[in-house]
Amino acid sequence: MSVYADVQVSRSAKALEPEKLAKLVNMSKYPVLITGGKLLENEKLVDVAVRINEKGIDVIACSASSKPLIERGVKPKFTTFSLHYVTQFMLDPDFRVEGKSIDLAIYLGFMPYYLSRVLSALKHFSKIKTVAIEPFYHPHASFSFPKVKDEEYYEMLERFVGALEVRV
Amino acid sequence: MAIKIEDVLRNMKLENVNITIGEIVEEGKVKAEAEERKEVREESLPVGPTPKPHILDLRYWDRVLLERFEPIYMPMQDFCNLCTMGPCDLSFNKEGACGIDLKTQKARIVALACSIGASAHATHGRHLLEEMIKEFGEDHPIDLGLEVDVVAPNIMTVFGIKPKKLKDLREVANYVEQEITRVLHTIHTGQEESYLDYESKALHVSMIDHVAMELADIVQISCLNYPKGDPDAPLIESGVGALDLEKPVILVIGHNVVPARFIDDYLREKDLHDLIEIAGICCTAIDTTRYDAKAKIVGTLSYQLRIVRQGFADLIVVDEQCIRADLLRECSKLGIPLIVTSEASVRGCEDRTNDDVNDIVDDLVNGRAKGVLIRDMEKLAKVAVKTAFKSFLRRSRRNVSVNVEEEIKKCVNCGRCVENCPHSLRIDLAFARAKNGDFSLLKELEETCIACGRCEQVCHRGVRIVDVIVRIGEAKRGKVRAGRGPIKDSEIRNVGQPIVMGTIPGVIAPVGCPNYPRARRELSEIIEEFLKRRYIVVTSGCHAMDLGIEGGLYEKYGGDFDAGCLVNVGSCVANSHISGAVIKIANIFAGRNLLGNYAEIADYILNRVGAVGLAWGAMSQKAASIATGFNRLGVPVVASPHCLKYRRGYVGKFWKRDKWWVYDIKSGQKVYVEPCPDALIVCAETKEEAIVLLARLCFRPADTYLGRQIKLTHYLELGKKYLGCYPDDWHLFVRTEQDLPLKMRDELLQILEEEHGWKIDWDKKKILEGPIRKYDPGFNPTLLKDIYEKYRR
Ligand code: SF4
Ligand code: SF4
Ligand code: SF4
């Protein structure tokens, strides 16, 4: 499996088709979407995040990605804390978002080497499932997109969003 | 005595001046007596509880910090292979064959990295000290200029003496070396089993690092006539574009000024100074220009390969640290001679110290020797200058041509380079677009590329990726203010109060290497936001260079340690003047005793001094120890996304109220406080996020309402500007309606009522219920029980 400049891993993520990833999200109790800095430079990713949010999934906006999201009507649960903070919070079993405990986190729009460390921390020290819907394969995630070409990536995002059920 | 003075005056033809010898003698006597009284005063200063602390002596302070700022680990590898019982799979926090778990193992690696960092500065400092003692004598005074009386705040606070002469520093150097060795000992297999204990070691050795840096820098300032706290230190011509390529170019790389200084002296002595360009990369550049303002700064360490590949350096001289490990290979491809000078970095070169100068020059110029080691600095200078002239005549023979279009055509867009690029730069996409004549993405990528060459190593098509990138970039040119060294005591007297009150909203300290997450200019964009808002900015090292070369900021902002000014203290070792300045605030402004009193001073700083570091490109182990040393002193650091690779952060949880308390010396109560600062070292991914985070980390519990109002104004404005909304936690910093910025008061009271359920008396516009605590102007916080008891008595 092709990865980026990382990696010595004991357990590698399962690379899954978008529909299967969406199914895992559909089955989870309280999934959140965590968004990163690429949303500041890539309108397509903002669009994907907005649509995931429209399916009833709460957003935690990191890296100042709150700005384009708020402009599009999203109300992120957090806007101010970097992914480093958010991960520290998630590693604490007492952490709640409006009373709810996160059991699955979807990651969109982060620098690969940055997200990789975060996924590693959650893999080793928590039970939270992590899903990377990024253009790179993320071995430390629980589940990841495989590495794909640019055009295919957006297509996969489409399929993922399409397969998400609306949460009530 | 009187006769001697008469003689002197006669020699100086001053017989007729209107003063009597008696007066001079009298004045001298008065001065000497004053000095003596000062010495007695200094010698009678109380020494605090921890002079020359060993590993366990400040562990209690570390425990206080680590309880609040919990370490968070982000492993790079799931395995450990440090000993022959391994490799051990430690995934999911399993234990290895020696019993160590993953968290503790990561903390151990962090302690190791910090030890490496500290040892680099310690060895550098020792080398400078012994060299300068050889040349100037051990009684040479430590002199940082008239306005710097507190010459060694780190040494005073940690080691417990105020050094006066070079010889006093020998025992400090001994202590530093001993502590580093003791920490290294603990990293051996089969020692600690709690990650907190390894963190305490990392904090300890990093505090020692600041002592080592201070030692190194006060030695060179005292002996080499560097600027001594001068806010108007000269502006240095910097950037590749500033080089005069009509002249031979000697490029010096590394961190230790000694070889460059000898070359510079020799050029002056032989009156060749204007005929040769002496230019530097990394901290040697900074220190050479502190020595000689005519020398030039080429740029940060990421310029090494860029410069070599362009072929205009006629000689490269390296000393130590952060020098590319393929430099000799790269130089020899183009026939650029290399001279190595340091035991730390000999690169396989033959020791030619005892050979004839002309023989060495001939061998270097004719390529018989690709590189040589020279340990005698006077000989080095002669060889360097001769070699540079001769090599210059052959510059045109160096083949540096690149057919950019041909190279780009070779690319098949497979993406292997991207996978191996530390920045995951999309070289594949940039080349694909460039094939169609659109070079914009390639230009963008050049702004982030650190010219590390990993991409070329993996490209199966042999594309000369770095060469293409180098050709795309422009030769930058700018001015960098020469490193001025210490912050003057008088400056601390002026700004100490506004900083502690909060009316100067904070001190932002961009320091470290150039491994930036995105374009180099972003650093200047971050910093200018704070300069415009009248924060104090104090910088060093590669960051200090880029603020000039990329941002042009030294020409726009003054060099005082004051609101809205930009101070370049100097090279890596000059970071000790930044920690020194915050220590001096506790001493000069607040009158706290420094000697052997580390925990009290750090506690003071953590609760009162809104200073924050910014390591936006940290790469090295030295950066790890510098940042961790700041952390032990109570100064938080915002780091770049790459810094997660250091594996450990100290990140607090604002939502755990029981973590955020202090003893209030005034009321005698334990009081819950705002979560500020809420982290000691934490990463941000984008510049926008870093800006808001820096503003947040400037809050301190002891802010007066006026200060809090100003800090809150910036925090709220920056939140709106970069996050698109007010920050999530702004209300936590409100203690009273007086904390609220006047122009936003009504709006904010409304939000507090509606969104946070606070009770507001709208007639009086007063907060009745809601804040974590009430504001008390006499609030006097400490996290240490002994300090609380000391001042309650
Ligand atoms: S030091 Fe411990 S964890 Fe590391 S390889 Fe040896 S036994 Fe295994
Ligand atoms: S590895 Fe070489 S061929 Fe492949 S994308 Fe990079 S430059 Fe092109
Ligand atoms: S030289 Fe530049 S593009 Fe190549 S791997 Fe290094 S940073 Fe990436």
Side-chain angles (χ1 to χ4, degrees):
Chain A
M1 181 64 68
S2 172
V3 293
Y4 53 86
D6 209 26
V7 159
Q8 291 184 39
V9 252
S10 57
R11 182 206 74 187
S12 305
K14 281 196 186 98
L16 293 180
E17 292 293 307
E19 290 76 11
K20 288 204 174 129
L21 283 180
K23 206 167 170 194
L24 283 164
V25 176
N26 292 338
M27 276 162 26
S28 63
K29 274 205 188 111
Y30 182 56
V32 290
L33 170 69
I34 305 182
T35 52
K38 296 258 185 252
L39 273 73
L40 295 176
E41 39 190 79
N42 187 335
E43 189 59 33
K44 286 187 198 166
L45 297 184
V46 177
D47 201 57
V48 169
V50 170
R51 284 161 56 214
I52 293 176
N53 182 242
E54 282 165 359
K55 301 269 183 162
I57 292 174
D58 285 342
V59 175
I60 294 178
C62 295
S63 318
S65 60
S66 51
K67 190 158 190 210
L69 289 172
I70 289 171
E71 280 162 10
R72 295 278 306 271
V74 176
K75 289 192 177 130
K77 294 294 164 198
F78 287 100
T79 61
T80 306
F81 296 96
S82 74
L83 185 61
H84 207 183
Y85 279 101
V86 170
T87 312
Q88 174 75 311
F89 302 164
M90 284 166 64
L91 287 168
D92 190 317
D94 295 337
F95 181 59
R96 299 284 180 279
V97 179
E98 293 174 352
K100 286 172 278 192
S101 178
I102 298 170
D103 64 340
L104 183 144
I106 308 161
Y107 292 88
L108 176 73
F110 289 96
M111 287 180 174
Y113 61 82
Y114 182 61
L115 180 57
S116 176
R117 302 277 61 72
V118 163
L119 295 172
S120 156
L122 289 164
K123 170 176 105 170
H124 291 298
F125 305 122
S126 90
K127 293 196 162 40
I128 295 172
K129 294 275 175 263
T130 56
V131 175
I133 52 168
E134 298 277 18
F136 290 90
Y137 168 68
H138 269 282
H140 288 295
S142 315
F143 306 97
S144 164
F145 277 4
K147 180 184 180 297
V148 287
K149 293 256 180 218
D150 230 33
E151 323 77 64
E152 287 172 63
Y153 173 56
Y154 295 109
E155 196 190 300
M156 284 177 75
L157 283 174
E158 282 300 318
R159 283 164 57 195
F160 175 76
V161 178
L164 285 177
E165 287 166 5
V166 178
R167 303 181 80 88
V168 274
Chain B
M1 177 73 186
I3 294 167
K4 270 189 195 159
I5 292 176
E6 267 170 359
D7 287 343
V8 172
L9 290 178
R10 205 165 294 122
N11 284 341
M12 292 167 74
K13 300 199 172 59
L14 285 173
E15 297 102 309
N16 296 329
V17 292
N18 196 15
I19 41 170
T20 64
I21 305 299
E23 275 176 339
I24 294 182
V25 173
E26 194 48 39
E27 194 188 315
K29 224 166 83 190
V30 172
K31 266 195 191 150
E33 278 168 11
E35 271 302 307
E36 212 171 282
R37 274 201 305 278
K38 204 170 113 202
E39 271 182 37
V40 172
R41 227 177 29 239
E42 273 167 11
E43 255 134 51
S44 62
L45 279 179
V47 176
T50 56
K52 308 182 189 63
H54 295 308
I55 292 174
L56 297 180
D57 294 333
L58 287 165
R59 184 172 177 254
Y60 72 101
W61 169 242
D62 299 336
R63 289 289 171 143
V64 170
L65 290 177
L66 297 169
E67 167 65 23
R68 195 189 252 195
F69 307 103
E70 293 176 48
I72 167 172
Y73 295 100
M74 305 200 148
M76 286 289 278
Q77 305 86 6
D78 298 3
F79 299 91
C80 174
N81 49 17
L82 264 184
C83 85
T84 68
M85 289 196 286
C88 299
D89 174 2
L90 304 180
S91 55
F92 314 108
N93 214 22
K94 286 200 284 286
E95 292 172 9
C98 63
I100 201 167
D101 63 23
L102 182 60
K103 272 192 189 173
T104 314
Q105 171 60 12
K106 292 300 147 193
R108 184 183 175 201
I109 297 294
V110 175
L112 179 61
C114 293
S115 303
I116 296 170
S119 72
H121 294 134
T123 313
H124 176 188
R126 169 69 85 176
H127 177 245
L128 283 172
L129 177 63
E130 299 306 334
E131 284 292 314
M132 297 304 144
I133 286 179
K134 230 190 286 166
E135 193 172 330
F136 297 90
E138 59 176 20
D139 287 325
H140 188 82
I142 291 165
D143 172 14
L144 306 193
L146 285 177
E147 290 177 79
V148 183
D149 182 43
V150 184
V151 287
N154 279 282
I155 291 172
M156 290 172 75
T157 309
V158 176
F159 191 75
I161 64 158
K162 180 174 175 184
K164 297 194 175 61
K165 297 177 173 171
L166 290 184
K167 67 179 173 198
D168 300 337
L169 293 174
R170 275 200 165 126
E171 50 172 336
V172 179
N174 292 345
Y175 163 74
V176 162
E177 288 158 2
Q178 185 194 60
E179 290 311 301
I180 295 169
T181 311
R182 288 169 92 142
V183 171
L184 273 174
H185 166 218
T186 69
I187 299 166
H188 193 275
T189 297
Q191 307 279 32
E192 294 298 355
E193 71 175 271
S194 158
Y195 60 91
L196 293 175
D197 277 316
Y198 274 126
E199 289 303 341
S200 178
K201 268 106 181 152
L203 288 161
H204 182 70
V205 83
S206 302
M207 171 191 76
I208 296 295
D209 186 36
H210 282 250
V211 173
M213 291 190 287
E214 186 169 276
L215 182 152
D217 213 47
I218 63 178
V219 168
Q220 50 181 359
I221 294 172
S222 299
C223 298
L224 298 182
N225 206 21
Y226 285 1
K228 294 179 172 172
D230 178 8
D232 299 314
L235 289 167
I236 305 296
E237 289 288 342
S238 304
V240 180
L243 296 179
D244 180 352
L245 298 181
E246 302 296 312
K247 296 178 187 171
V249 176
I250 299 181
L251 185 70
V252 289
I253 310 179
H255 288 77
N256 189 328
V257 75
V258 172
R261 177 209 164 206
F262 271 84
I263 297 171
D264 196 80
D265 281 350
Y266 183 75
L267 288 172
R268 284 196 239 200
E269 186 191 313
K270 298 287 172 199
D271 217 11
L272 298 169
H273 201 232
D274 291 330
L275 300 182
I276 276 194
E277 282 285 75
I278 173 155
I281 284 183
C282 218
C283 283
T284 294
I286 293 193
D287 282 346
T288 307
T289 53
R290 290 165 93 186
Y291 186 62
D292 174 3
K294 279 193 175 168
K296 288 177 181 166
I297 293 171
V298 174
T300 63
L301 68 89
S302 67
Y303 275 84
Q304 294 181 60
L305 213 48
R306 279 193 170 87
I307 299 296
V308 174
R309 296 275 181 101
Q310 289 182 71
F312 54 67
D314 299 300
L315 169 72
I316 296 183
V317 179
V318 299
D319 49 87
E320 57 201 30
Q321 300 157 29
C322 306
I323 305 155
R324 288 190 60 86
D326 58 356
L327 193 63
L328 183 65
R329 287 194 292 278
E330 286 286 338
C331 285
S332 59
K333 277 187 211 160
L334 288 173
I336 300 171
L338 178 75
I339 303 180
V340 302
T341 58
S342 160
E343 64 177 19
S345 182
V346 285
R347 302 168 177 263
C349 296
E350 194 181 337
D351 188 347
R352 302 287 298 269
T353 308
N354 298 320
D355 290 0
D356 177 71
V357 169
N358 290 326
D359 290 349
I360 307 174
V361 174
D362 271 358
D363 286 352
L364 279 172
V365 175
N366 295 319
R368 280 192 295 276
K370 296 187 164 63
V372 297
L373 165 65
I374 303 178
R375 293 193 284 159
D376 171 344
M377 292 300 110
E378 278 169 14
K379 185 175 277 183
L380 158 79
K382 288 181 197 154
V383 173
V385 172
K386 280 195 168 185
T387 306
F389 276 114
K390 290 198 168 178
S391 165
F392 172 64
L393 300 175
R394 296 173 170 230
R395 193 189 281 170
S396 57
R397 294 193 204 172
R398 289 176 209 137
N399 181 6
V400 289
S401 64
V402 188
N403 187 331
V404 171
E405 275 173 24
E406 280 305 310
E407 292 301 318
I408 289 173
K409 259 195 227 153
K410 281 200 261 172
C411 170
V412 292
N413 313 104
C414 68
R416 265 187 226 183
C417 48
V418 186
E419 290 160 8
N420 284 274
C421 169
H423 291 270
S424 314
L425 292 178
R426 295 304 300 262
I427 304 156
D428 56 342
L429 294 182
F431 281 3
R433 286 201 204 160
K435 276 182 202 165
N436 299 324
D438 172 6
F439 285 80
S440 58
L441 193 54
L442 199 50
K443 283 213 172 84
E444 225 173 84
L445 179 152
E446 192 279 332
E447 284 289 318
T448 307
C449 170
I450 52 168
C452 70
R454 268 177 82 179
C455 47
E456 284 185 359
Q457 296 289 316
V458 297
C459 176
H460 62 303
R461 302 277 297 162
V463 180
R464 292 165 62 186
I465 304 169
V466 177
D467 292 335
V468 172
I469 291 172
V470 166
R471 292 301 180 283
I472 291 297
E474 303 156 25
K476 298 262 166 73
R477 181 171 189 165
K479 289 197 167 108
V480 176
R481 193 172 299 288
R484 59 168 268 188
I487 307 307
K488 293 187 287 191
D489 297 3
S490 51
E491 290 174 303
I492 300 289
R493 248 169 243 125
N494 290 339
V495 299
Q497 188 174 13
I499 290 174
V500 171
M501 287 176 68
T503 46
I504 287 181
V507 179
I508 307 287
V511 304
C513 338
N515 194 21
Y516 307 121
R518 288 185 177 82
R520 292 183 286 278
R521 65 173 179 278
E522 281 198 350
L523 176 70
S524 303
E525 291 165 9
I526 297 174
I527 289 311
E528 195 158 21
E529 182 76 63
F530 289 99
L531 285 166
K532 283 187 191 149
R533 290 172 181 273
R534 297 188 58 74
Y535 287 65
I536 297 175
V537 177
V538 51
T539 181
S540 69
C542 286
H543 278 26
M545 295 182 197
D546 275 337
L547 292 176
I549 299 171
E550 297 285 333
L553 297 185
Y554 297 99
E555 288 144 290
K556 281 166 91 177
Y557 298 93
D560 295 281
F561 189 75
D562 205 347
C565 293
L566 170 61
V567 179
N568 175 17
V569 285
S571 57
C572 283
V573 287
N575 277 308
S576 55
H577 303 303
I578 303 178
S579 48
V582 289
I583 293 174
K584 288 210 275 190
I585 290 172
N587 176 242
I588 295 172
F589 165 66
R592 301 283 176 113
N593 171 45
L594 295 187
L595 297 181
N597 199 21
Y598 189 87
E600 178 175 346
I601 298 300
D603 174 67
Y604 180 93
I605 292 166
L606 179 68
N607 284 306
R608 290 174 179 78
V609 181
V612 190
L614 172 66
W616 201 236
M619 165 287 294
S620 67
Q621 295 86 29
K622 290 186 296 171
S625 58
I626 294 168
T628 310
F630 273 117
N631 292 165
R632 197 185 217 192
L633 195 58
V635 178
V637 175
V638 173
S640 74
H642 277 296
C643 295
L644 288 188
K645 298 177 204 166
Y646 283 122
R647 304 168 175 81
R648 181 269 287 133
Y650 294 139
V651 182
K653 299 166 186 167
F654 76 93
W655 44 276
K656 285 208 149 167
R657 189 178 166 188
D658 60 341
K659 297 268 182 189
W660 307 95
W661 59 267
V662 294
Y663 299 108
D664 176 19
I665 294 166
K666 184 190 171 207
S667 66
Q669 307 280 320
K670 204 169 160 178
V671 180
Y672 286 113
V673 289
E674 313 81 88
C676 60
D678 70 356
L680 279 183
I681 183 151
V682 64
C683 296
E685 194 196 20
T686 58
K687 73 165 196 279
E688 292 82 359
E689 182 171 55
I691 289 172
V692 180
L693 181 46
L694 284 163
R696 180 165 80 244
L697 289 176
C698 286
F699 288 107
R700 290 296 175 275
D703 295 338
T704 60
Y705 73 82
L706 212 56
R708 184 60 62 86
Q709 215 181 83
I710 292 169
K711 292 185 185 189
L712 207 49
T713 306
H714 294 301
Y715 188 45
L716 290 164
E717 284 179 4
L718 291 168
K720 267 270 189 243
K721 182 168 172 185
Y722 292 111
L723 307 178
C725 59
Y726 291 145
D728 300 326
D729 59 347
W730 69 268
H731 61 289
L732 299 178
F733 305 111
V734 180
R735 302 158 300 181
T736 155
E737 57 286 340
Q738 288 168 302
D739 285 345
L740 298 172
L742 272 177
K743 56 180 180 186
M744 307 182 207
R745 198 166 279 176
D746 284 359
E747 180 202 354
L748 296 175
L749 284 173
Q750 191 103 35
I751 298 174
L752 290 171
E753 187 179 61
E754 283 168 11
E755 290 177 23
H756 301 286
W758 289 24
K759 290 214 172 102
I760 312 292
D761 175 342
W762 280 104
D763 290 335
K764 295 187 183 133
K765 302 233 168 113
K766 271 180 90 67
I767 293 170
L768 301 175
E769 221 174 85
I772 295 170
R773 68 175 164 114
K774 280 210 167 68
Y775 174 66
D776 173 356
F779 181 59
N780 193 357
T782 173
L783 274 159
L784 292 168
K785 195 140 203 223
D786 56 331
I787 299 303
Y788 167 76
E789 281 163 1
K790 177 170 148 187
Y791 288 102
R792 279 294 284 179
R793 259 184 250 133

